[in-house]
Amino acid sequence: MKIYKFGGASVKNAERIRHLADILANESEDLIVVVSAMGKTTNQLEEFTQMLYPDATYEDKEYDCLYDQVVSTGELQSTRIVSAYLNHAGIANHWMDITQLLQTDDTFRNAQVDIAASQQHLQTYIQQHPAHVYVTQGFIGGTKDGLRTTLGREGSDYTAALLAYMLDAESVTLWKDVQGVYSADPRKVKDAQLIHEMSYAEAAALVEKGAQIVHHKTFEPLAEKHIPLYVRPFLHPKEKGTVIH
Protein backbone atom coordinates (compact mmCIF):
# COMPACT_ATOMS: atom_id res chain seq x y z
CA MET A 1 0.00 0.00 0.00
CA LYS A 2 1.08 3.56 -0.77
CA ILE A 3 -0.04 6.85 0.74
CA TYR A 4 -0.66 9.80 -1.58
CA LYS A 5 -1.29 13.24 -0.11
CA PHE A 6 -2.76 16.12 -2.11
CA GLY A 7 -2.84 19.63 -0.64
CA GLY A 8 -5.41 22.35 -1.10
CA ALA A 9 -3.82 23.69 -4.29
CA SER A 10 -4.21 20.26 -5.89
CA VAL A 11 -7.99 20.29 -5.43
CA LYS A 12 -8.73 24.01 -5.72
CA ASN A 13 -10.86 23.67 -8.86
CA ALA A 14 -12.39 21.16 -11.26
CA GLU A 15 -9.35 21.11 -13.56
CA ARG A 16 -7.04 20.18 -10.69
CA ILE A 17 -9.36 17.43 -9.45
CA ARG A 18 -9.45 15.93 -12.97
CA HIS A 19 -5.65 16.01 -13.00
CA LEU A 20 -5.58 14.26 -9.61
CA ALA A 21 -7.76 11.53 -11.10
CA ASP A 22 -5.31 11.15 -14.01
CA ILE A 23 -2.48 10.55 -11.53
CA LEU A 24 -4.46 7.91 -9.66
CA ALA A 25 -5.59 6.20 -12.86
CA ASN A 26 -1.98 5.15 -13.54
CA GLU A 27 -1.54 3.40 -10.17
CA SER A 28 -2.02 -0.33 -9.82
CA GLU A 29 -1.16 -0.64 -6.12
CA ASP A 30 -3.54 -0.08 -3.23
CA LEU A 31 -3.69 3.56 -2.19
CA ILE A 32 -4.83 5.75 0.63
CA VAL A 33 -5.40 9.24 -0.76
CA VAL A 34 -5.16 11.98 1.85
CA VAL A 35 -6.79 15.23 0.72
CA SER A 36 -6.78 18.72 2.21
CA ALA A 37 -9.54 21.32 2.10
CA MET A 38 -10.00 22.94 -1.32
CA GLY A 39 -7.87 26.00 -2.07
CA LYS A 40 -8.05 28.59 0.71
CA THR A 41 -11.13 27.07 2.36
CA THR A 42 -9.40 26.65 5.73
CA ASN A 43 -8.55 30.35 5.84
CA GLN A 44 -12.15 31.25 5.02
CA LEU A 45 -13.50 28.92 7.71
CA GLU A 46 -11.08 30.45 10.22
CA GLU A 47 -12.44 33.89 9.42
CA PHE A 48 -15.99 32.62 9.78
CA THR A 49 -15.18 31.10 13.18
CA GLN A 50 -13.69 34.39 14.35
CA MET A 51 -16.90 36.14 13.31
CA LEU A 52 -18.86 33.68 15.44
CA TYR A 53 -16.56 34.14 18.41
CA PRO A 54 -14.88 37.56 18.04
CA ASP A 55 -13.56 37.89 21.59
CA ALA A 56 -11.62 34.62 21.68
CA THR A 57 -8.05 34.36 22.94
CA TYR A 58 -5.51 31.59 22.48
CA GLU A 59 -6.26 30.46 26.06
CA ASP A 60 -9.96 30.03 25.31
CA LYS A 61 -10.62 26.27 25.08
CA GLU A 62 -14.26 26.82 24.19
CA TYR A 63 -13.20 28.80 21.13
CA ASP A 64 -10.57 26.21 20.19
CA CYS A 65 -13.20 23.48 20.32
CA LEU A 66 -15.57 25.51 18.16
CA TYR A 67 -12.70 26.24 15.76
CA ASP A 68 -12.03 22.55 15.23
CA GLN A 69 -15.69 21.67 14.68
CA VAL A 70 -16.03 24.37 12.00
CA VAL A 71 -12.64 24.27 10.28
CA SER A 72 -12.63 20.47 9.96
CA THR A 73 -15.65 20.64 7.65
CA GLY A 74 -13.34 21.85 4.87
CA GLU A 75 -11.57 18.50 4.62
CA LEU A 76 -14.75 16.50 5.02
CA GLN A 77 -16.44 18.32 2.16
CA SER A 78 -13.43 18.33 -0.20
CA THR A 79 -12.93 14.59 0.18
CA ARG A 80 -16.62 13.95 -0.51
CA ILE A 81 -16.26 15.88 -3.77
CA VAL A 82 -13.01 14.15 -4.76
CA SER A 83 -14.39 10.71 -3.93
CA ALA A 84 -17.56 11.33 -5.92
CA TYR A 85 -15.63 12.54 -8.95
CA LEU A 86 -13.22 9.59 -8.85
CA ASN A 87 -16.16 7.19 -8.86
CA HIS A 88 -17.64 9.13 -11.78
CA ALA A 89 -14.30 8.87 -13.61
CA GLY A 90 -14.18 5.11 -13.16
CA ILE A 91 -11.77 5.02 -10.22
CA ALA A 92 -13.72 3.07 -7.61
CA ASN A 93 -12.89 4.20 -4.10
CA HIS A 94 -14.07 4.08 -0.51
CA TRP A 95 -14.57 7.38 1.35
CA MET A 96 -13.20 7.15 4.88
CA ASP A 97 -13.99 9.52 7.78
CA ILE A 98 -10.64 9.90 9.53
CA THR A 99 -12.27 11.60 12.53
CA GLN A 100 -13.69 8.20 13.48
CA LEU A 101 -10.32 6.46 13.17
CA LEU A 102 -7.50 8.83 14.10
CA GLN A 103 -8.11 9.13 17.85
CA THR A 104 -6.68 12.17 19.59
CA ASP A 105 -6.83 13.94 22.93
CA ASP A 106 -8.86 17.11 23.35
CA THR A 107 -6.05 19.59 22.83
CA PHE A 108 -8.08 21.42 20.21
CA ARG A 109 -6.14 23.07 17.36
CA ASN A 110 -3.03 21.02 18.22
CA ALA A 111 -4.35 17.57 19.09
CA GLN A 112 -2.02 14.72 20.01
CA VAL A 113 -2.69 11.37 18.35
CA ASP A 114 -3.12 8.16 20.33
CA ILE A 115 -1.07 5.94 18.02
CA ALA A 116 -2.03 2.58 19.54
CA ALA A 117 -5.78 3.24 19.58
CA SER A 118 -5.72 4.81 16.12
CA GLN A 119 -3.77 1.92 14.64
CA GLN A 120 -6.29 -0.58 15.98
CA HIS A 121 -9.23 1.47 14.66
CA LEU A 122 -7.63 1.88 11.25
CA GLN A 123 -6.53 -1.71 10.73
CA THR A 124 -9.93 -3.04 11.79
CA TYR A 125 -11.75 -0.60 9.52
CA ILE A 126 -9.69 -1.53 6.46
CA GLN A 127 -10.20 -5.23 7.11
CA GLN A 128 -13.96 -4.64 7.24
CA HIS A 129 -14.04 -2.32 4.19
CA PRO A 130 -11.57 -3.73 1.63
CA ALA A 131 -10.88 -1.43 -1.33
CA HIS A 132 -8.18 -0.60 -3.86
CA VAL A 133 -8.40 3.15 -3.21
CA TYR A 134 -9.42 4.94 -0.02
CA VAL A 135 -10.06 8.68 0.09
CA THR A 136 -9.69 10.38 3.45
CA GLN A 137 -8.86 13.66 5.14
CA GLY A 138 -5.63 15.20 6.33
CA PHE A 139 -5.16 17.61 9.25
CA ILE A 140 -8.08 16.32 11.34
CA GLY A 141 -8.91 13.61 13.87
CA GLY A 142 -11.41 12.99 16.63
CA THR A 143 -11.69 12.42 20.37
CA LYS A 144 -13.14 9.24 21.85
CA ASP A 145 -16.18 11.37 22.77
CA GLY A 146 -16.86 12.15 19.11
CA LEU A 147 -15.59 15.73 18.85
CA ARG A 148 -13.50 16.64 15.82
CA THR A 149 -9.96 17.93 16.34
CA THR A 150 -7.22 19.44 14.19
CA LEU A 151 -3.52 18.57 14.31
CA GLY A 152 -2.13 22.06 13.71
CA ARG A 153 -1.98 24.05 10.50
CA GLU A 154 -0.49 22.24 7.50
CA GLY A 155 -0.95 18.96 9.39
CA SER A 156 -2.02 16.90 6.37
CA ASP A 157 1.57 15.82 5.71
CA TYR A 158 1.69 14.50 9.26
CA THR A 159 -1.58 12.61 8.73
CA ALA A 160 -0.09 10.88 5.69
CA ALA A 161 3.00 9.89 7.68
CA LEU A 162 0.92 8.52 10.56
CA LEU A 163 -1.20 6.41 8.22
CA ALA A 164 1.94 5.04 6.60
CA TYR A 165 3.40 4.20 10.00
CA MET A 166 0.24 2.49 11.26
CA LEU A 167 -0.27 0.46 8.08
CA ASP A 168 3.39 -0.28 7.28
CA ALA A 169 2.98 1.42 3.91
CA GLU A 170 5.52 1.07 1.14
CA SER A 171 5.95 4.84 0.73
CA VAL A 172 4.41 8.28 1.14
CA THR A 173 4.16 10.75 -1.74
CA LEU A 174 3.39 14.43 -1.16
CA TRP A 175 2.12 15.97 -4.39
CA LYS A 176 3.14 19.64 -4.31
CA ASP A 177 3.10 22.75 -6.48
CA VAL A 178 6.93 22.62 -6.60
CA GLN A 179 9.39 20.35 -8.38
CA GLY A 180 10.69 18.89 -5.13
CA VAL A 181 12.92 20.00 -2.26
CA TYR A 182 15.43 22.73 -3.08
CA SER A 183 18.65 23.79 -1.36
CA ALA A 184 17.03 27.21 -0.82
CA ASP A 185 13.81 29.00 -1.74
CA PRO A 186 14.03 29.19 -5.57
CA ARG A 187 11.82 32.29 -5.54
CA LYS A 188 14.47 34.13 -3.54
CA VAL A 189 17.73 32.40 -4.45
CA LYS A 190 18.52 32.31 -8.16
CA ASP A 191 20.96 29.38 -8.03
CA ALA A 192 18.92 27.19 -5.67
CA GLN A 193 19.36 23.54 -6.63
CA LEU A 194 16.74 20.81 -6.76
CA ILE A 195 17.81 18.01 -4.41
CA HIS A 196 16.83 14.62 -5.82
CA GLU A 197 17.79 12.54 -2.79
CA MET A 198 18.38 13.34 0.86
CA SER A 199 18.18 11.87 4.36
CA TYR A 200 15.49 12.52 6.92
CA ALA A 201 18.06 14.35 9.06
CA GLU A 202 19.00 16.64 6.17
CA ALA A 203 15.35 17.37 5.40
CA ALA A 204 14.56 18.04 9.06
CA ALA A 205 17.47 20.48 9.23
CA LEU A 206 16.07 22.39 6.23
CA VAL A 207 12.65 22.58 7.89
CA GLU A 208 14.25 23.88 11.11
CA LYS A 209 15.86 26.65 9.04
CA GLY A 210 12.46 27.71 7.72
CA ALA A 211 11.85 25.56 4.64
CA GLN A 212 8.09 24.98 4.34
CA ILE A 213 7.98 22.00 1.98
CA VAL A 214 7.04 19.39 4.61
CA HIS A 215 5.35 19.66 8.02
CA HIS A 216 7.97 19.25 10.74
CA LYS A 217 6.20 16.30 12.44
CA THR A 218 6.20 14.24 9.26
CA PHE A 219 9.69 12.76 9.47
CA GLU A 220 9.70 10.93 12.81
CA PRO A 221 7.08 8.21 12.15
CA LEU A 222 8.50 7.54 8.68
CA ALA A 223 12.12 7.39 9.81
CA GLU A 224 11.22 4.98 12.60
CA LYS A 225 9.99 2.41 10.06
CA HIS A 226 12.30 3.40 7.19
CA ILE A 227 9.42 4.44 4.94
CA PRO A 228 10.60 6.66 2.06
CA LEU A 229 8.96 10.04 1.51
CA TYR A 230 8.63 11.40 -2.03
CA VAL A 231 7.99 15.07 -2.78
CA ARG A 232 6.79 15.23 -6.39
CA PRO A 233 5.39 17.94 -8.69
CA PHE A 234 1.63 17.67 -9.03
CA LEU A 235 1.52 19.29 -12.47
CA HIS A 236 4.40 17.21 -13.83
CA PRO A 237 3.81 13.75 -12.32
CA LYS A 238 6.35 11.99 -14.54
CA GLU A 239 9.21 13.94 -12.98
CA LYS A 240 11.00 12.28 -10.06
CA GLY A 241 11.07 15.17 -7.59
CA THR A 242 12.83 14.41 -4.32
CA VAL A 243 13.06 11.22 -2.25
CA ILE A 244 13.78 11.52 1.48
CA HIS A 245 14.88 8.31 3.20
Side-chain angles (χ1 to χ4, degrees):
M1 175 176 283
K2 295 180 179 179
I3 313 294
Y4 276 8
K5 180 260 175 177
F6 296 91
S10 299
V11 291
K12 68 180 182 180
N13 55 35
E15 180 183 1
R16 290 290 181 98
I17 293 175
R18 285 193 289 267
H19 185 65
L20 182 157
D22 290 340
I23 291 174
L24 299 188
N26 294 320
E27 286 295 337
S28 58
E29 295 189 43
D30 291 346
L31 293 172
I32 293 183
V33 181
V34 177
V35 181
S36 299
M38 301 175 76
K40 299 297 183 182
T41 299
T42 300
N43 293 341
Q44 295 169 334
L45 289 170
E46 282 184 337
E47 294 172 5
F48 177 66
T49 309
Q50 290 165 1
M51 291 170 61
L52 292 173
Y53 209 117
D55 298 323
T57 68
Y58 282 106
E59 290 75 31
D60 195 329
K61 187 169 182 177
E62 184 179 346
Y63 171 76
D64 290 346
C65 179
L66 174 66
Y67 174 99
D68 280 5
Q69 308 322 300
V70 174
V71 170
S72 58
T73 61
E75 275 71 20
L76 292 167
Q77 294 301 323
S78 69
T79 52
R80 285 288 194 188
I81 292 169
V82 169
S83 175
Y85 177 72
L86 292 177
N87 281 323
H88 171 76
I91 302 173
N93 69 93
H94 180 86
W95 183 84
M96 191 164 65
D97 183 353
I98 202 70
T99 67
Q100 305 297 313
L101 304 173
L102 201 64
Q103 185 173 314
T104 74
D105 64 10
D106 62 355
T107 308
F108 299 104
R109 301 185 69 181
N110 190 29
Q112 304 303 304
V113 177
D114 184 330
I115 299 292
S118 299
Q119 186 170 29
Q120 183 176 7
H121 295 331
L122 186 65
Q123 291 178 344
T124 299
Y125 186 90
I126 286 179
Q127 288 172 359
Q128 294 175 346
H129 302 86
H132 170 51
V133 177
Y134 298 87
V135 175
T136 195
Q137 307 79 36
F139 173 57
I140 64 177
T143 69
K144 61 182 179 181
D145 298 323
L147 290 172
R148 296 194 295 268
T149 56
T150 62
L151 308 183
R153 286 303 302 265
E154 310 300 332
S156 294
D157 293 351
Y158 182 46
T159 301
L162 287 175
L163 295 180
Y165 176 90
M166 290 186 282
L167 296 171
D168 293 318
E170 176 185 334
S171 64
V172 174
T173 300
L174 308 179
W175 294 94
K176 301 278 189 176
D177 266 2
V178 293
Q179 298 303 107
V181 178
Y182 283 82
S183 57
D185 189 338
R187 297 168 298 182
K188 300 177 181 178
V189 181
K190 185 180 296 186
D191 59 350
Q193 299 295 312
L194 176 63
I195 304 171
H196 290 291
E197 185 175 5
M198 62 195 310
S199 70
Y200 284 115
E202 291 168 331
L206 280 179
V207 171
E208 287 179 4
K209 292 178 181 178
Q212 298 180 358
I213 293 297
V214 180
H215 189 276
H216 68 280
K217 289 184 178 181
T218 304
F219 302 116
E220 184 176 350
L222 298 180
E224 186 171 333
K225 288 197 173 181
H226 306 287
I227 299 171
L229 173 67
Y230 295 89
V231 180
R232 297 180 62 187
F234 175 73
L235 294 177
H236 304 282
K238 293 184 179 181
E239 295 184 13
K240 293 182 178 179
T242 301
V243 58
I244 304 169
H245 61 151

